[in-house]
Amino acid sequence: MNNQKFRVVFLTDSLSLPRDVPEKVSYEETFVYLLKQEYPNIEFIQFAYGGATISDLRNQADYLKSFSPNILILQAGIVELIPILKEIPASSLIPRLLSAIANSRINNSS
């Protein structure tokens, strides 16, 4: 019988890491730590790469195969999003997002 725990591997950018800036996040407040506390029967393995782009993380994914995860969770995209957000006034961001979501639903239902 296989006694191996269900294994979840996280491949993330810096959002899964503790940090002091731009806001204070302690290790005990990170989502991986909280999941470990909530689900002790699941093995959570974290690989985080601060400042990583989606491509950077994808290039690391092959190394994770040896862990034989049941699930691989990729959390990325903020690095690519920041330059876009700097060019969009905050007051127009939400309406643009809602419009993009609505257009996506219309295009996907066709």
Side-chain angles (χ1 to χ4, degrees), residues 19-104:
R19 58 193 170 276
D20 290 326
V21 292
E23 72 281 342
K24 174 86 171 132
V25 177
S26 70
Y27 172 66
E28 292 79 11
E29 295 172 307
T30 63
F31 67 82
V32 176
Y33 176 87
L34 294 170
L35 286 168
K36 287 179 180 182
Q37 301 308 302
E38 185 71 24
Y39 303 99
N41 294 328
I42 298 175
E43 182 178 11
F44 294 100
I45 301 171
Q46 176 183 13
F47 292 91
Y49 181 173
T53 64
I54 294 169
S55 294
D56 293 333
L57 293 175
R58 170 57 190 101
N59 291 338
Q60 300 300 310
D62 289 340
Y63 295 106
L64 305 179
K65 291 177 184 175
S66 62
F67 287 92
S68 302
N70 298 95
I71 297 175
L72 172 64
I73 297 175
L74 174 66
Q75 178 273 301
I78 195 67
V79 172
E80 288 89 351
L81 185 59
I82 288 173
I84 295 167
L85 292 177
K86 287 182 178 177
E87 299 200 8
I88 299 173
S91 61
S92 70
L93 184 59
I94 297 299
R96 284 181 176 202
L97 288 173
L98 293 175
S99 175
I101 291 167
N103 288 335
S104 172

Side-chain angles (χ1 to χ4, degrees), residues 99-110:
S99 175
I101 291 167
N103 288 335
S104 172
R105 286 183 181 161
I106 291 168
N107 293 336
N108 288 332
S109 65
S110 311

